[in-house]
């Protein structure tokens, strides 16, 4: 059975951190039964974050913010857009753009869920 996960992020003028976060996510080992869809709110960045993400990670769903959303409203908007895309996600993963995943983080997370 395929498990779908909506991954939610928001950013503002942190291109290098955001790209590094996405790189660590894509490099992480993913269990075969998981399908991830990423929703990133770029809240009015002027440092080229959105264009760099679009080029390097074309499967990321980019959402333009107003520049006044800050973290909480950016995450809320990412969640709303994810729900508009698919009402049947099994999980949502809230991911800060300044976090970097260990290679086995996703496997470990879902193994723990399955165990408990």
């Amino acid at each position: 059975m395929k498990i779908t996960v909506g991954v939610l992020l928001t950013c503002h003028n942190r291109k290098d951190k955001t790209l590094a976060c996405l790189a660590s996510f894509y490099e992480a080992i993913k269990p075969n039964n998981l399908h991830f869809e990423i929703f990133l709110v770029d809240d009015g960045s002027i440092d080229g974050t959105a264009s760099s993400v679009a080029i390097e990670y074309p499967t990321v769903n980019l959402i333009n913010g107003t520049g006044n959303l800050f973290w909480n409203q950016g995450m809320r908007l990412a969640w709303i857009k994810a729900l508009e895309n698919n009402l049947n996600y099994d999980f949502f993963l809230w991911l800060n753009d300044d976090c970097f995943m260990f290679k086995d983080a996703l496997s470990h997370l879902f193994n723990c869920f399955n165990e408990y």
Side-chain angles (χ1 to χ4, degrees):
M1 177 174 129
K2 233 359 165 188
I3 296 171
T4 58
V5 181
V7 181
L8 312 178
L9 297 101
T10 191
C11 67
H12 177 75
N13 284 336
R14 297 190 337 170
K15 178 174 71 172
D16 293 338
K17 286 187 180 198
T18 302
L19 292 173
C21 174
L22 289 171
S24 74
F25 178 84
Y26 280 103
E27 292 168 5
I29 299 164
K30 295 168 189 69
N32 291 332
N33 65 329
L34 296 178
H35 172 72
F36 294 90
E37 295 178 357
I38 300 176
F39 296 84
L40 169 64
V41 172
D42 177 50
D43 192 25
S45 296
I46 58 171
D47 67 349
T49 301
S51 59
S52 293
V53 169
I55 291 167
E56 292 189 41
Y57 302 102
T59 60
V60 169
N61 296 284
L62 275 169
I63 304 143
N64 293 318
T66 63
N68 295 309
L69 296 175
F70 301 99
W71 182 84
N72 64 335
Q73 290 301 311
M75 293 300 280
R76 181 176 173 270
L77 180 58
W79 180 56
I80 288 168
K81 294 298 184 181
L83 287 174
E84 288 174 1
N85 184 63
N86 179 357
L87 287 174
N88 296 311
Y89 286 107
D90 297 298
F91 295 95
F92 287 100
L93 175 63
W94 288 36
L95 183 60
N96 285 350
D97 71 336
D98 60 353
C99 292
F100 311 105
M101 292 194 159
F102 289 111
K103 293 256 188 227
D104 65 345
L106 296 169
S107 295
H108 184 68
L109 176 67
F110 285 96
N111 285 341
C112 287
F113 171 78
N114 289 329
E115 186 176 331
Y116 296 103

